[in-house]
Amino acid sequence: MQTASSPALFDLTGKTALVTGATRGIGLALARGLAGAGARVILNGRQPEAIDTAVATLRADGLQAFGAAFDVTDEAAVAQAFAALDRQGLTVDILVNNAGIQHRQPMVELALADWQRVIDTNLTAAFLVGREAARRMIERGRGGKIINIGSLTSEAARATVAPYTVAKGGIKLLSKAMAAEWARHDIQANAIGPGYILTEMNTALVNNPDFDAWVKASNPAQRWGRPEELVGTAVYLASSASNYVNGQIIYVDGGWLSVL
């Protein structure tokens, strides 16, 4: 029998995880972390070459990794990708909706096309990929885990990132909507809200002395977070340790939201 302290609670051996936007940054760190906990991981991205490089990196460390190149914003491409995984016998038990982009511009100057691009990539894609995964989880009858990647902007807004803020706010409530509909099928859908993390997407901010100083001064931890610091939360939400946790968002932010 598993106890509250049993390592088996967090063991992902025998599970298959699909991580979108997994060729770098947070996505790659989460894929590595899930694989390290025993899962077979499928790395998604749009560029086959980048996927091949990321897969090779994980395999070189003895981890089980595969690649799946498809555009998460394209409904037909998502359906075709899952059909291809079905044919390969890769059944997704754990989905991490991580793919995302940023666009910084004042709203009064923001073009509709840029607004839509961010919403499609950061929010609508999570619905499209989540729907395909959930259909199969329900059909198989053994449940599953969906982890959506939110942000501090799931809770608080900042100027010049309106579409990102709206999308990540939507991720918080999408997770709740998924829980409301799919919990009876033993599917747990939750979200992680990273704080300011040292990733390629944030390079310009890290290199901006004023912004870097603001992050460090406004955060109780007085530093940026690292992608690997999200892994523990992801493994928890992907494992049987979180079987009665549903529709929640866990912020991994060094305490930033606590002092707003």
Side-chain angles (χ1 to χ4, degrees):
M1 182 180 73
Q2 294 180 0
T3 65
S5 61
S6 173
L9 279 173
F10 304 94
D11 185 6
L12 302 181
T13 301
K15 302 295 185 180
T16 299
L18 169 62
V19 183
T20 68
T23 59
R24 62 179 187 169
I26 289 173
L28 183 56
L30 295 183
R32 179 180 292 279
L34 295 175
R40 177 171 55 175
V41 294
I42 305 166
L43 279 61
N44 158 263
R46 287 189 296 180
Q47 303 299 325
E49 299 82 2
I51 293 173
D52 290 344
T53 298
V55 167
T57 299
L58 296 191
R59 287 182 176 177
D61 291 334
L63 302 173
Q64 299 182 76
F66 301 83
F70 62 92
D71 182 351
V72 294
T73 69
D74 185 326
E75 182 177 19
V78 171
Q80 291 166 7
F82 271 85
L85 294 176
D86 292 341
R87 291 192 295 271
Q88 297 173 62
L90 293 171
T91 57
V92 175
D93 306 292
I94 302 159
L95 168 64
V96 181
N97 277 314
N98 168 75
I101 59 173
Q102 180 61 283
H103 182 86
R104 295 182 175 89
Q105 192 171 27
M107 272 195 286
V108 294
E109 301 170 9
L110 185 65
L112 177 59
D114 291 324
W115 166 279
Q116 196 64 58
R117 182 169 56 91
V118 175
I119 297 293
D120 286 349
T121 305
N122 292 22
L123 178 59
T124 306
F127 158 68
L128 292 174
V129 182
R131 183 182 62 181
E132 291 300 319
R135 283 172 172 168
R136 288 159 173 80
M137 291 173 181
I138 293 168
E139 183 178 318
R140 292 196 299 268
R142 60 173 189 260
K145 304 282 187 173
I146 297 176
I147 304 169
N148 299 314
I149 302 302
S151 164
L152 292 178
T153 60
S154 297
E155 201 70 38
R158 279 192 58 79
T160 74
V161 292
Y164 186 86
T165 299
V166 171
K168 293 302 186 178
I171 283 290
K172 177 181 176 179
L173 288 176
L174 175 64
S175 302
K176 293 181 181 296
M178 288 174 166
E181 293 202 20
W182 299 337
R184 65 191 180 94
H185 299 290
D186 196 24
I187 296 172
Q188 291 84 53
N190 294 287
I192 299 174
Y196 287 99
I197 306 294
L198 292 168
T199 65
E200 293 88 339
M201 184 184 290
N202 287 328
T203 297
L205 301 180
V206 175
N207 292 335
N208 181 317
D210 291 337
F211 196 92
D212 178 62
W214 175 81
V215 167
K216 293 171 181 175
S218 62
N219 190 328
Q222 298 184 353
R223 66 176 177 84
W224 292 75
R226 299 182 297 275
E228 59 269 23
E229 291 179 305
L230 302 170
V231 168
T233 304
V235 171
Y236 165 66
L237 292 177
S239 73
S240 61
S242 60
N243 280 353
Y244 204 55
V245 178
N246 221 339
Q248 305 301 309
I249 181 166
I250 300 175
Y251 292 100
V252 184
D253 66 352
W256 196 84
L257 284 172
S258 299
V259 296
L260 282 181

